[in-house]
DNA sequence: TTGCAGTACCTCGAACCCCGAGGTATCGTC
DNA sequence: GACGATACCTCGGGGTTCGAGGTACTGCAA
């Protein structure tokens, strides 16, 4: 019994990449980020909190994000911003992603015609 | 201690997609396919046999591939070809992948500045 | 003939990622 | 004080991929 997920195919380092990207653009707290991803992707990606929070914690532990408490209407929010190392990592992750995309594209499209081999 | 794999980020449905794509272009046996992926991707993807064989078996069990024995120089090879259902699945997987790629691109590039901060 | 590298198949366990469901606490409203 | 929304968090399960290992046959060379 093969169960299908709601996401198109579901990804790997993609959530991490998007988190870094969106936080680099504008510091946010977790709950906000979850909705920002949904909005920015036009509901294509719907990463839940159970996906985002662990990533946030890991990224912070790795020194790629920095969290700071921020009281807002009596509620405490943990706002995350990207560190210098995080920006470096973001650039690397983005370029790695581009490479993967380009390679898949190349395999799928390129080399398709002129295939000798007998059909 | 975060261990990094050799692959850029490592993927999810991508090996499956490439397997279907390459086999649709030309039927192959497993060992050949492993090397074909490496070659076609310019050594960017190096999916081992431990990755490819299980996919092959799963795809066959799902009726997306059909295997046929083929003796060659005393050695028995299991040549896989894509079935009709497999071609349908290939088209779907490819389009799902395109959608993911487009969405990520949109989040990364689009809407970067002038973000009205949502209210 | 023995040994070894290459071909060709396979499986297992570990690592990892993402999801869904659940748990806590506060705030504002009814 | 019950409820829903906000805001944080964790855990377990299912699925995927990786690496290492195991088998068996071929051809070649010592």
């Amino acid at each position: 019994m093969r169960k299908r997920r709601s996401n198109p195919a579901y990804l790997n380092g993609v959530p991490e990449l998007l988190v870094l990207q969106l936080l680099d653009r504008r510091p946010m707290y977790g709950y906000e980020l979850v909705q920002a991803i949904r909005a920015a992707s036009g509901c294509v990606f719907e990463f839940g909190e159970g996906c985002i929070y662990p990533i946030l914690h890991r990224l912070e532990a790795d020194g790629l994000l920095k969290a700071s408490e921020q009281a807002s209407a009596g509620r405490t929010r943990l706002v995350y911003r990207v560190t210098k190392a995080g920006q470096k990592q973001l650039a690397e992750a983005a370029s790695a992603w581009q490479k993967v995309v380009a390679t898949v594209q190349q395999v799928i499209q390129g080399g398709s015609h002129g295939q000798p081999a007998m059909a």
Side-chain angles (χ1 to χ4, degrees), chain A residues 29-39 45 47-49 52-53:
Chain A
Y29 50 96
Y31 195 80
E32 189 184 7
L33 182 59
V34 168
Q35 297 168 143
I37 289 179
R38 187 195 321 247
F45 299 135
F47 301 122
E49 306 168 40
I52 297 303
Y53 279 118

Side-chain angles (χ1 to χ4, degrees), chain A residues 29 68-79:
Chain A
Y29 50 96
S68 51
E69 280 194 19
Q70 201 167 334
S72 166
R75 214 168 257 130
T76 306
R77 289 165 172 173
L78 266 178
V79 175

